Short mmCIF file of all heavy atoms in Angstrom, two decimals:
data_model
loop_
_atom_site.label_atom_id
_atom_site.label_comp_id
_atom_site.label_asym_id
_atom_site.label_seq_id
_atom_site.Cartn_x
_atom_site.Cartn_y
_atom_site.Cartn_z
N HIS A 349 71.25 72.40 122.62
CA HIS A 349 70.59 72.49 123.90
C HIS A 349 71.53 72.55 125.09
O HIS A 349 71.12 72.70 126.24
CB HIS A 349 69.61 71.29 124.08
CG HIS A 349 68.53 71.23 123.07
ND1 HIS A 349 67.66 72.26 122.85
CD2 HIS A 349 68.22 70.27 122.20
CE1 HIS A 349 66.81 71.94 121.88
NE2 HIS A 349 67.13 70.73 121.46
N HIS A 350 72.83 72.44 124.75
CA HIS A 350 73.86 72.47 125.80
C HIS A 350 75.02 73.31 125.33
O HIS A 350 76.20 72.83 125.29
CB HIS A 350 74.31 71.06 126.16
CG HIS A 350 73.20 70.12 126.48
ND1 HIS A 350 72.52 70.15 127.68
CD2 HIS A 350 72.57 69.17 125.71
CE1 HIS A 350 71.58 69.20 127.67
NE2 HIS A 350 71.57 68.62 126.48
N LEU A 351 74.78 74.53 124.92
CA LEU A 351 75.80 75.39 124.32
C LEU A 351 76.95 75.71 125.29
O LEU A 351 78.05 76.10 124.86
CB LEU A 351 75.18 76.67 123.80
CG LEU A 351 74.24 76.53 122.60
CD1 LEU A 351 73.61 77.88 122.21
CD2 LEU A 351 74.96 75.91 121.38
N ARG A 352 76.67 75.54 126.57
CA ARG A 352 77.74 75.81 127.55
C ARG A 352 78.90 74.84 127.41
O ARG A 352 79.99 75.12 127.90
CB ARG A 352 77.18 75.73 128.99
CG ARG A 352 76.57 74.38 129.33
CD ARG A 352 75.92 74.43 130.71
NE ARG A 352 75.25 73.15 131.01
CZ ARG A 352 74.06 72.82 130.62
NH1 ARG A 352 73.33 73.70 129.89
NH2 ARG A 352 73.49 71.65 130.94
N ASP A 353 78.70 73.71 126.68
CA ASP A 353 79.78 72.75 126.45
C ASP A 353 80.66 73.15 125.28
O ASP A 353 81.76 72.58 125.09
CB ASP A 353 79.22 71.36 126.19
CG ASP A 353 78.54 70.77 127.44
OD1 ASP A 353 78.72 71.34 128.52
OD2 ASP A 353 77.81 69.75 127.26
N MET A 354 80.20 74.04 124.43
CA MET A 354 80.91 74.34 123.17
C MET A 354 82.26 74.98 123.41
O MET A 354 83.21 74.77 122.61
CB MET A 354 80.06 75.23 122.28
CG MET A 354 78.92 74.49 121.56
SD MET A 354 79.53 73.06 120.56
CE MET A 354 80.69 73.82 119.49
N THR A 355 82.41 75.75 124.49
CA THR A 355 83.72 76.33 124.73
C THR A 355 84.77 75.23 125.00
O THR A 355 85.92 75.38 124.62
CB THR A 355 83.67 77.24 125.94
OG1 THR A 355 83.02 76.60 127.05
CG2 THR A 355 82.94 78.54 125.63
N TYR A 356 84.31 74.10 125.60
CA TYR A 356 85.25 72.98 125.80
C TYR A 356 85.68 72.40 124.47
O TYR A 356 86.88 72.16 124.25
CB TYR A 356 84.55 71.89 126.64
CG TYR A 356 85.36 70.63 126.73
CD1 TYR A 356 86.41 70.51 127.65
CD2 TYR A 356 85.10 69.54 125.87
CE1 TYR A 356 87.17 69.37 127.69
CE2 TYR A 356 85.83 68.39 125.92
CZ TYR A 356 86.86 68.28 126.83
OH TYR A 356 87.63 67.16 126.87
N TRP A 357 84.72 72.16 123.58
CA TRP A 357 85.10 71.51 122.32
C TRP A 357 85.95 72.43 121.42
O TRP A 357 86.90 71.98 120.81
CB TRP A 357 83.83 71.06 121.56
CG TRP A 357 83.10 69.99 122.31
CD1 TRP A 357 81.87 70.11 122.90
CD2 TRP A 357 83.52 68.67 122.49
NE1 TRP A 357 81.51 68.90 123.49
CE2 TRP A 357 82.53 67.99 123.25
CE3 TRP A 357 84.68 67.96 122.17
CZ2 TRP A 357 82.65 66.67 123.65
CZ3 TRP A 357 84.82 66.65 122.56
CH2 TRP A 357 83.81 65.98 123.27
N VAL A 358 85.60 73.69 121.39
CA VAL A 358 86.41 74.65 120.62
C VAL A 358 87.81 74.74 121.21
O VAL A 358 88.81 74.74 120.49
CB VAL A 358 85.74 76.05 120.59
CG1 VAL A 358 86.68 77.06 119.96
CG2 VAL A 358 84.41 75.99 119.81
N GLY A 359 87.88 74.81 122.55
CA GLY A 359 89.18 74.86 123.22
C GLY A 359 89.99 73.63 122.97
O GLY A 359 91.22 73.66 122.76
N THR A 360 89.34 72.45 122.97
CA THR A 360 90.02 71.16 122.73
C THR A 360 90.60 71.13 121.31
O THR A 360 91.73 70.65 121.10
CB THR A 360 89.05 69.99 122.92
OG1 THR A 360 88.62 70.00 124.29
CG2 THR A 360 89.75 68.68 122.63
N ILE A 361 89.82 71.60 120.32
CA ILE A 361 90.29 71.63 118.95
C ILE A 361 91.52 72.55 118.83
O ILE A 361 92.51 72.14 118.22
CB ILE A 361 89.16 72.13 118.03
CG1 ILE A 361 88.02 71.11 117.98
CG2 ILE A 361 89.69 72.42 116.61
CD1 ILE A 361 86.76 71.64 117.30
N MET A 362 91.46 73.69 119.43
CA MET A 362 92.58 74.65 119.36
C MET A 362 93.81 74.07 120.10
O MET A 362 94.95 74.15 119.60
CB MET A 362 92.19 75.99 119.95
CG MET A 362 91.07 76.66 119.19
SD MET A 362 90.55 78.29 119.92
CE MET A 362 92.00 79.27 119.54
N PHE A 363 93.58 73.53 121.28
CA PHE A 363 94.66 72.96 122.07
C PHE A 363 95.34 71.80 121.31
O PHE A 363 96.57 71.76 121.24
CB PHE A 363 94.10 72.45 123.40
CG PHE A 363 95.10 71.74 124.26
CD1 PHE A 363 95.89 72.45 125.14
CD2 PHE A 363 95.28 70.37 124.20
CE1 PHE A 363 96.83 71.83 125.95
CE2 PHE A 363 96.20 69.69 124.98
CZ PHE A 363 96.99 70.46 125.86
N SER A 364 94.55 70.94 120.74
CA SER A 364 95.11 69.75 120.07
C SER A 364 95.90 70.16 118.85
O SER A 364 97.02 69.61 118.61
CB SER A 364 93.98 68.79 119.65
OG SER A 364 93.24 68.36 120.78
N SER A 365 95.40 71.05 118.02
CA SER A 365 96.14 71.45 116.81
C SER A 365 97.42 72.17 117.17
O SER A 365 98.46 71.99 116.53
CB SER A 365 95.27 72.37 115.96
OG SER A 365 95.03 73.64 116.60
N ALA A 366 97.39 73.00 118.28
CA ALA A 366 98.60 73.70 118.72
C ALA A 366 99.67 72.75 119.18
O ALA A 366 100.82 72.92 118.87
CB ALA A 366 98.23 74.71 119.82
N VAL A 367 99.26 71.71 119.88
CA VAL A 367 100.23 70.73 120.41
C VAL A 367 100.87 70.00 119.24
O VAL A 367 102.12 69.73 119.26
CB VAL A 367 99.53 69.72 121.35
CG1 VAL A 367 100.45 68.53 121.62
CG2 VAL A 367 99.15 70.41 122.64
N VAL A 368 100.12 69.66 118.18
CA VAL A 368 100.69 68.97 117.03
C VAL A 368 101.77 69.83 116.37
O VAL A 368 102.80 69.30 115.92
CB VAL A 368 99.57 68.67 116.00
CG1 VAL A 368 100.14 68.17 114.67
CG2 VAL A 368 98.58 67.62 116.58
N TRP A 369 101.57 71.14 116.34
CA TRP A 369 102.57 72.04 115.80
C TRP A 369 103.75 72.21 116.73
O TRP A 369 104.91 72.22 116.30
CB TRP A 369 101.95 73.42 115.50
CG TRP A 369 101.18 73.54 114.24
CD1 TRP A 369 99.82 73.55 114.08
CD2 TRP A 369 101.71 73.67 112.93
NE1 TRP A 369 99.47 73.70 112.79
CE2 TRP A 369 100.61 73.77 112.03
CE3 TRP A 369 103.00 73.74 112.41
CZ2 TRP A 369 100.80 73.93 110.67
CZ3 TRP A 369 103.17 73.88 111.04
CH2 TRP A 369 102.07 73.97 110.21
#
Side-chain angles (χ1 to χ4, degrees):
H349 298 304
H350 309 283
L351 292 178
R352 59 186 176 277
D353 293 347
M354 283 305 301
T355 50
Y356 171 82
W357 294 112
V358 172
T360 299
I361 293 169
M362 298 178 71
F363 176 87
S364 301
S365 67
V367 168
V368 171
W369 278 104

